[in-house]
Amino acid sequence: MPKISSKGRSMPESPIRKLVPYSDVAKKKGRKVYHLNIGQPDIETPEAAMNVLKNTDIKVVEYSHSAGILSYRKKLVEYYKRCNIDINENEIIVTNGGSEGIIFAFMVCMDPGDEIIIPEPFYANYNGFANEAGVVVKPIVSTIDNGFALPPIDEFEKLITPKTKAIMICNPNNPTGYLYSKAELESLKEIVKKHDLYLMSDEVYREFCYDGNEHFSAMNLEGIEENVILLDSVSKRYSACGVRIGCFISKNKEIMATAMKFAQARLSPPTFGQILSEAAIDTPQSYFDKVILEYVSRRNVVVEAINKMPGCFCPKPKGAFYAVARLPIDNADKFCQWLLEDFQYNNETVMLAPATGFYSTKGKGSDEVRISYVLKVEDLKASMKCLEEAIKVYPGRTN
Amino acid sequence: MPKISSKGRSMPESPIRKLVPYSDVAKKKGRKVYHLNIGQPDIETPEAAMNVLKNTDIKVVEYSHSAGILSYRKKLVEYYKRCNIDINENEIIVTNGGSEGIIFAFMVCMDPGDEIIIPEPFYANYNGFANEAGVVVKPIVSTIDNGFALPPIDEFEKLITPKTKAIMICNPNNPTGYLYSKAELESLKEIVKKHDLYLMSDEVYREFCYDGNEHFSAMNLEGIEENVILLDSVSKRYSACGVRIGCFISKNKEIMATAMKFAQARLSPPTFGQILSEAAIDTPQSYFDKVILEYVSRRNVVVEAINKMPGCFCPKPKGAFYAVARLPIDNADKFCQWLLEDFQYNNETVMLAPATGFYSTKGKGSDEVRISYVLKVEDLKASMKCLEEAIKVYPGRTN
């Protein structure tokens, strides 16, 4: 039997998936598990968009244009205009989820061995995409003490080498929920300009900004229009993760022409997902208002509960639907596994994501967990009660 | 503005796409263009499967399992059993079209710099996927003189180096329509075994075998079960190219475990496509019988017409819906462009794919074109008349 290549073998495993077998253990013991470990919202997909899909009258499900159905791209132009992002339909390539857009960005802009700087903790699958493209992620630590604000620009400067080609941010951030300010983006602009880097901005949580804060897109940084790549997805926006529709956006014609070659090689993005996503752009603001209100309630339940637990700290995120909390624990991976294997409160337990999986620097995040507040308030209250009781009795408690 | 990496720049362009601007020229001149250049069938997607999709009652379009919806994978097991391929649901990963399965296979089994042997002419996008994975395609010429049969095994032997990790075939073949025999596959087995290589078998045209010939799958080669990766897609089978559903199959547990890491990084394949594809497995044999009958008529029209044209030769393919023809022309790329820019017969012309794009060896295929017989018989007859008249007056005619 031939050997698997070392590159294939070195593909990192998703940190969230590692816990799945232990979750099965908890379920076998008859325990209810509250899943706060994944970014799968329970919000309904807009019904009107579902109906458009159901009433479609397609006889032959053909390949679509490799850049995506033209009418969808034109509709996306309208959507982005509403978001104050001025682009045209030729500056958009529709992708197989946000994931494919990130792979395209890495492969188009970087050679194997090139470096990309990403503030950590960051979305764990960036590691996988970097592995596929052969590029090296240089993490730059952000800290829970200031709610995971952008690290000082000096720290970025220190990491820059001749191999550095790009900086990547996720805004609002997964896993921290941090919303980067306009001032922070302006400071990124300066370093991008100075070193002529690409700025890749993952803005899939754009709609999820709370407490009156507005989202500022990297696309609106004046003077680096040719350097910015916007990565987007409809998964969270319309609670439609399964449609697998994202997009890759840039005003840089050379980038777009090269990305199109990658898009053409894989022929086209999925037709039905595009139809639903096109219809979803007409989703009324009232849908989002309701969703945002719901997430704010959920966030408040989680953040307030954790900050009341002795020795625990959870900054209040301004965006997305994640929070990272610091707990008085020896090892987040062990703790999360223990929650599933050994703990129960009223025959219930909670599944969290150890923050270690979101850091590239070894040892970082070992007393932190990511909580996705994607459950109803009532379930979140029960989950927080579980967590509170768990911390009290966890054998690896540190204070 | 930062430079695009050389890897991105070196991504090959699809040979078929290159002609699109010239097709637009023909259309602007008011000419009808018969599209025999692409593999987009005009056959209707099975209505029953479309209806299942339309009647689905999903409230939240969630991520599916990264390997694909379990009920779909179980249904695929039934489908493969009918094809005499014995696998279980854990030996299948559902992919974003056949394309993603090929990328997974390349990345899982090979390191950058490793080599894969592929008989040419071959599906042009293999070049793109090889570029993404950093692997080197070593072509081995098959010839139109024997209808593009498998090249002698000696020729494979000559190409094997310490870097050789795999052999890939497409069976029935795109672009040649050649159907590899059981004996040819058995001979491949010997070399795969001898050098402990992977055998990647792209069998997306499995249903399209003509004249009473049966398909023999690489999955049924005894003794190399751990070496074979089957790549498949529903695009052509159910004329559902836009659903973007394929699969990656292997009995090798290490391969599957590694491929799952790639599948998990991109979260999941598209939900709606999976629903349609699951329902499509119940498509009655009568649908295929009708489709096959239609393709046989179409093939016969094309092959007979070309073989009657002086100086032209087209072997009669036993599978898929492509044929490669040798024409008395100086340069297939020029000829195909000329057909669109300068030629018309009754204000009609034909768009063909120059075979050069399907060869890796420079200069090969310069007097060959690929014809996709995906149009109705009547249109194919008109197309062949166009081609016949075109060859008569083409300025670069060679005999």
Side-chain angles (χ1 to χ4, degrees):
Chain A
M1 171 170 55
K3 284 261 160 53
I4 291 193
S5 81
S6 57
K7 191 187 172 198
R9 266 203 310 268
S10 69
M11 183 72 180
E13 193 169 19
S14 157
I16 299 166
R17 307 278 173 171
K18 277 186 205 162
L19 283 172
V20 171
Y22 304 108
S23 155
D24 293 342
V25 169
K27 282 168 193 167
K28 269 184 198 145
K29 289 183 177 174
R31 288 174 195 162
K32 176 167 184 177
V33 179
Y34 291 108
H35 285 268
L36 304 183
N37 58 310
I38 49 165
Q40 172 58 59
D42 62 345
I43 305 288
E44 287 192 6
T45 311
E47 202 183 345
M50 277 297 293
N51 286 339
V52 168
L53 176 67
K54 288 182 185 181
N55 291 315
T56 178
D57 192 28
I58 295 179
K59 295 290 176 213
V60 185
V61 187
E62 297 190 355
Y63 291 120
S64 70
H65 191 291
S66 295
I69 299 171
L70 183 60
S71 62
Y72 176 41
R73 281 183 286 135
K74 286 188 171 169
K75 195 87 186 171
L76 277 170
V77 170
E78 282 178 36
Y79 161 77
Y80 285 109
K81 202 172 287 292
R82 292 207 302 264
C83 301
N84 198 29
I85 296 171
D86 181 33
I87 49 163
N88 68 49
E89 66 271 20
N90 300 316
E91 292 162 347
I92 304 173
I93 295 173
V94 179
T95 54
N96 285 310
S99 305
E100 189 184 56
I102 299 167
I103 295 173
F104 283 179
F106 286 7
M107 288 196 173
V108 167
C109 299
M110 290 183 276
D111 267 330
D114 282 346
E115 296 169 0
I116 181 166
I117 300 174
I118 314 181
E120 66 178 352
F122 58 78
Y123 177 56
N125 286 323
Y126 291 165
N127 280 320
F129 306 139
N131 187 280
E132 290 182 41
V135 303
V136 181
V137 174
K138 292 284 178 179
I140 179 162
V141 183
S142 67
T143 168
I144 195 167
D145 295 316
N146 61 11
F148 299 105
L150 192 74
I153 288 298
D154 301 0
E155 298 297 316
F156 283 87
E157 280 284 0
K158 284 182 201 159
L159 286 182
I160 288 177
T161 76
K163 291 252 176 214
T164 309
K165 292 286 166 67
I167 293 173
M168 181 155 187
I169 56 165
C170 177
N171 186 30
N173 193 271
N174 174 5
T176 67
Y178 188 80
L179 178 68
Y180 293 110
S181 67
K182 186 179 174 191
E184 285 173 315
L185 278 155
E186 292 286 352
S187 70
L188 275 179
K189 177 176 98 175
E190 293 313 317
I191 193 164
V192 161
K193 216 170 166 175
K194 180 175 166 193
H195 297 279
D196 206 14
L197 306 174
Y198 289 109
L199 178 59
M200 298 176 184
S201 186
D202 175 346
E203 303 184 0
V204 305
Y205 298 96
R206 180 181 303 113
E207 273 70 18
F208 303 92
C209 295
Y210 311 131
D211 312 327
N213 288 286
E214 284 203 3
H215 184 259
F216 182 82
S217 172
M219 290 296 288
N220 288 325
L221 289 169
E222 281 172 37
I224 57 164
E225 288 81 0
E226 300 278 320
N227 303 59
V228 174
I229 294 168
L230 174 60
L231 301 161
D232 213 336
S233 163
V234 307
S235 293
K236 316 292 164 151
R237 185 168 305 142
Y238 310 115
S239 197
C241 300
V243 300
R244 310 312 299 132
I245 295 295
C247 63
F248 174 104
I249 293 176
S250 176
K251 298 190 96 58
N252 182 319
K253 287 191 168 62
E254 197 185 356
I255 290 287
M256 292 308 290
T258 305
M260 266 309 283
K261 293 191 205 168
F262 288 83
Q264 287 171 346
R266 59 65 162 138
L267 306 171
S268 69
T271 298
F272 296 124
Q274 290 184 81
I275 292 170
L276 186 144
S277 301
E278 181 174 337
I281 292 177
D282 288 327
T283 302
Q285 186 55 37
S286 56
Y287 172 91
F288 295 101
D289 291 344
K290 212 176 129 194
V291 170
I292 301 277
L293 215 63
E294 176 65 23
Y295 277 124
V296 167
S297 307
R298 293 173 178 190
R299 177 199 62 177
N300 293 348
V301 165
V302 168
V303 173
E304 284 163 25
I306 292 176
N307 284 325
K308 274 184 199 151
M309 298 176 200
C312 299
F313 170 57
C314 185
K316 193 174 191 175
K318 290 179 192 155
F321 36 71
Y322 306 101
V324 172
R326 183 163 60 202
L327 307 178
I329 53 172
D330 58 341
N331 180 308
D333 293 85
K334 272 195 209 164
F335 176 68
C336 293
Q337 184 177 331
W338 172 85
L339 279 172
L340 295 166
E341 277 194 311
D342 299 313
F343 177 76
Q344 59 85 18
Y345 176 75
N346 286 341
N347 213 26
E348 296 180 341
T349 190
V350 62
M351 187 166 179
L352 306 173
T356 45
F358 302 98
Y359 286 88
S360 221
T361 306
K362 277 265 174 267
K364 282 277 168 195
S366 63
D367 59 352
E368 297 171 7
V369 293
R370 185 191 74 171
I371 294 167
S372 311
Y373 43 95
V374 291
L375 302 184
K376 288 175 191 53
V377 162
E378 191 190 355
D379 290 342
L380 284 175
K381 283 182 179 165
S383 309
M384 289 303 108
K385 185 66 188 163
C386 270
L387 180 60
E388 184 183 352
E389 295 301 320
I391 292 170
K392 284 182 192 163
V393 298
Y394 175 56
R397 185 180 168 110
T398 53
N399 67 29
Chain B
M1 171 170 56
K3 285 258 160 56
I4 291 193
S5 82
S6 57
K7 190 186 171 198
R9 266 203 310 267
S10 69
M11 183 73 180
E13 192 169 21
S14 157
I16 299 167
R17 307 277 173 171
K18 276 186 206 162
L19 284 171
V20 171
Y22 305 108
S23 156
D24 293 343
V25 168
K27 282 168 193 167
K28 267 184 199 144
K29 288 182 177 175
R31 288 172 195 162
K32 175 166 184 178
V33 178
Y34 291 107
H35 284 267
L36 304 183
N37 57 309
I38 49 165
Q40 172 58 60
D42 63 344
I43 304 287
E44 286 192 6
T45 311
E47 202 183 346
M50 277 298 293
N51 286 339
V52 169
L53 176 68
K54 288 183 186 179
N55 291 314
T56 178
D57 192 28
I58 295 179
K59 296 290 176 212
V60 184
V61 188
E62 297 190 354
Y63 291 119
S64 70
H65 191 291
S66 295
I69 298 171
L70 183 60
S71 62
Y72 176 41
R73 281 183 286 137
K74 286 187 170 170
K75 195 86 186 171
L76 278 170
V77 170
E78 282 178 38
Y79 162 76
Y80 284 108
K81 202 172 287 292
R82 292 206 302 265
C83 301
N84 198 30
I85 296 171
D86 180 32
I87 49 162
N88 67 48
E89 66 270 20
N90 300 316
E91 292 163 346
I92 304 172
I93 294 174
V94 179
T95 54
N96 285 311
S99 305
E100 189 185 55
I102 299 167
I103 295 173
F104 284 178
F106 286 7
M107 288 194 173
V108 167
C109 299
M110 290 183 276
D111 267 330
D114 282 346
E115 296 169 0
I116 181 167
I117 300 174
I118 314 180
E120 65 179 353
F122 58 79
Y123 177 56
N125 286 323
Y126 291 166
N127 280 320
F129 305 139
N131 186 279
E132 291 181 40
V135 304
V136 181
V137 175
K138 292 284 178 178
I140 180 163
V141 183
S142 67
T143 167
I144 195 166
D145 296 316
N146 60 12
F148 300 106
L150 192 73
I153 288 298
D154 302 359
E155 298 297 317
F156 284 86
E157 280 283 1
K158 285 184 201 157
L159 286 182
I160 288 176
T161 76
K163 291 251 175 214
T164 310
K165 293 285 165 67
I167 293 173
M168 182 155 186
I169 56 165
C170 177
N171 186 29
N173 193 270
N174 175 6
T176 68
Y178 187 79
L179 178 67
Y180 293 110
S181 67
K182 187 178 173 193
E184 285 173 315
L185 279 154
E186 293 287 351
S187 70
L188 274 179
K189 177 176 96 173
E190 293 312 318
I191 192 163
V192 161
K193 217 168 164 177
K194 180 174 168 193
H195 297 280
D196 207 14
L197 305 174
Y198 290 109
L199 178 59
M200 298 176 185
S201 187
D202 175 346
E203 303 184 0
V204 306
Y205 298 96
R206 180 181 304 112
E207 273 70 18
F208 304 91
C209 295
Y210 312 131
D211 312 327
N213 288 285
E214 284 203 4
H215 184 258
F216 182 81
S217 172
M219 290 296 288
N220 288 325
L221 289 169
E222 280 172 39
I224 57 164
E225 290 80 0
E226 301 278 319
N227 303 59
V228 174
I229 294 168
L230 173 60
L231 301 161
D232 212 336
S233 163
V234 307
S235 292
K236 316 291 165 151
R237 187 168 303 141
Y238 309 114
S239 196
C241 300
V243 300
R244 309 313 299 130
I245 295 294
C247 63
F248 175 104
I249 292 176
S250 177
K251 298 191 94 60
N252 182 318
K253 287 191 168 60
E254 196 185 355
I255 290 287
M256 292 308 290
T258 306
M260 266 309 283
K261 294 191 206 169
F262 288 83
Q264 287 171 347
R266 59 63 161 141
L267 305 171
S268 70
T271 298
F272 297 124
Q274 291 183 82
I275 292 170
L276 185 143
S277 301
E278 182 174 336
I281 292 177
D282 288 326
T283 302
Q285 186 56 37
S286 56
Y287 172 91
F288 296 102
D289 291 345
K290 213 177 130 194
V291 169
I292 301 278
L293 215 64
E294 177 65 23
Y295 278 124
V296 167
S297 307
R298 293 174 177 190
R299 177 200 62 176
N300 293 348
V301 166
V302 167
V303 172
E304 285 163 25
I306 292 175
N307 284 325
K308 274 184 198 150
M309 299 175 199
C312 299
F313 171 56
C314 185
K316 192 176 191 172
K318 291 180 192 154
F321 36 70
Y322 307 101
V324 171
R326 183 164 58 203
L327 308 179
I329 52 173
D330 59 340
N331 180 309
D333 293 85
K334 270 194 210 167
F335 176 67
C336 293
Q337 183 177 332
W338 173 85
L339 279 171
L340 296 166
E341 277 194 312
D342 300 312
F343 177 77
Q344 59 85 18
Y345 176 75
N346 285 342
N347 214 26
E348 296 180 341
T349 190
V350 62
M351 187 166 180
L352 306 173
T356 46
F358 302 97
Y359 286 88
S360 220
T361 305
K362 278 263 173 267
K364 283 276 170 196
S366 63
D367 60 351
E368 296 172 7
V369 294
R370 185 192 72 171
I371 295 167
S372 310
Y373 43 95
V374 290
L375 302 184
K376 288 176 190 52
V377 162
E378 190 192 355
D379 290 342
L380 284 175
K381 283 182 180 166
S383 308
M384 289 304 109
K385 185 66 189 164
C386 268
L387 180 61
E388 183 183 353
E389 296 301 320
I391 292 169
K392 284 182 193 164
V393 298
Y394 175 57
R397 185 179 168 110
T398 53
N399 67 31

